[in-house]
């Protein structure tokens, strides 16, 4: 990951353009380049998107590459792999030039992170983002971890995430807000294969 040296505000981040196709998150005012996704991670995201559609969640309420402003030491902007919007959060960004849920906007129902291998990615998704999304008040946070072969669903309770369930193998994934999924953890972790 490459980090830029100049601190940016959220407004500066939203108009930042370095002339490349690189993707960034804003972390404590610093640009952090996002690594290219693995084929498996993108397959998992697409498969989960199709599962959500089959469950009757409207395509307009499923966000890919949508960013969420969160608070850490300074305002940051995270980019989860998938966002399941509430009617209010999708209405708030509908027609906006950028798909970002700012601090003053309504919250989505859930965010999904597909954990990439490596200690830095594990730290970011299991600790940093968990704390930031909880502080923001997002009701559910999912961690899909192909390396550890687990799908963890966390539910917000008193401003902290509590484990609703860790699903592996033939377990069907259960969500407090979305219900019982029609697929197993193994199917998700293999991207539908």
């Amino acid at each position: 990951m490459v980090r830029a040296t100049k601190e940016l505000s959220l407004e500066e981040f939203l108009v930042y353009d370095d002339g490349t196709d690189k993707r960034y998150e804003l972390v404590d005012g610093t640009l952090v380049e996002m690594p290219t996704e693995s084929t498996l991670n993108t397959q998992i995201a697409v498969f989960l998107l199709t599962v959500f559609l089959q469950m009757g969640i409207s395509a307009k309420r499923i966000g890919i590459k949508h960013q969420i402003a969160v608070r850490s030491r300074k305002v940051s902007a995270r980019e989860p792999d998938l966002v399941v919007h509430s009617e209010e959060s999708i209405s708030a960004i509908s027609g906006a030039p950028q798909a970002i849920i700012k601090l003053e906007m309504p919250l989505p129902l859930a965010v999904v992170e597909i954990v990439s291998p490596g200690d830095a990615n594990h730290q970011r998704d299991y600790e940093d983002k968990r704390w930031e999304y909880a502080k923001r008040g997002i009701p559910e946070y999912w961690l899909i971890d192909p390396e550890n072969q687990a799908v963890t669903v966390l539910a917000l309770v008193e401003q902290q995430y509590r484990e609703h369930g860790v699903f592996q193998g033939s377990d069907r994934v259960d969500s407090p807000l979305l219900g019982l999924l029609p697929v197993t953890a193994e199917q998700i972790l293999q991207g539908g294969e």
Side-chain angles (χ1 to χ4, degrees):
M1 279 184 270
V2 175
R3 292 181 180 261
T5 55
K6 179 185 181 283
E7 280 196 12
L8 301 175
S9 67
L10 182 61
E11 293 73 26
E12 291 171 320
F13 169 69
L14 293 176
V15 297
Y16 180 80
D17 183 0
D18 63 2
T20 70
D21 290 334
K22 294 177 184 173
R23 294 179 15 255
Y24 298 95
E25 284 185 330
L26 183 68
V27 180
D28 291 328
T30 302
L31 287 176
V32 178
E33 184 180 343
M34 300 304 298
T36 304
E37 290 289 347
S38 73
T39 303
L40 178 59
N41 283 19
T42 57
Q43 285 174 328
I44 290 170
V46 169
F47 177 70
L48 196 54
L49 179 134
T50 63
V51 169
F52 288 159
L53 291 172
Q54 291 169 356
M55 292 174 63
I57 298 171
S58 168
K60 76 174 190 167
R61 288 188 41 222
I62 303 169
I64 298 174
K65 306 298 179 209
H66 289 192
Q67 294 190 330
I68 299 174
V70 295
R71 293 191 190 278
S72 38
R73 288 178 307 194
K74 299 179 182 179
V75 174
S76 298
R78 294 296 193 172
E79 186 178 297
D81 292 293
L82 289 173
V83 175
V84 180
H85 284 281
S86 62
E87 288 294 336
E88 296 79 14
S89 68
I90 197 60
S91 292
I93 65 170
S94 185
Q98 294 163 315
I100 182 166
I101 302 169
K102 296 180 181 176
L103 291 173
E104 69 275 5
M105 292 179 170
L107 297 172
L109 295 176
V111 292
V112 177
E113 294 285 359
I114 302 165
V115 182
S116 296
D119 291 341
N121 294 321
H122 193 272
Q123 160 88 30
R124 182 185 66 233
D125 291 342
Y126 276 90
E127 296 177 30
D128 301 342
K129 288 183 180 183
R130 179 179 177 154
W131 181 83
E132 292 167 347
Y133 292 149
K135 189 171 181 181
R136 180 69 201 273
I138 297 168
E140 275 188 31
Y141 179 34
W142 291 28
L143 290 151
I144 300 174
D145 191 339
E147 191 172 59
N148 291 316
Q149 288 293 291
V151 176
T152 303
V153 176
L154 304 167
L156 193 64
V157 178
E158 297 175 6
Q159 299 183 314
Q160 291 186 341
Y161 283 121
R162 303 258 192 265
E163 220 174 71
H164 173 72
V166 177
F167 304 95
Q168 297 179 298
S170 62
D171 297 339
R172 284 185 54 199
V173 176
D174 181 44
S175 157
L177 294 173
L178 305 178
L180 190 63
L181 274 64
V183 294
T184 65
E186 183 177 37
Q187 288 173 302
I188 292 171
L189 292 161
Q190 293 178 359
E193 292 291 319

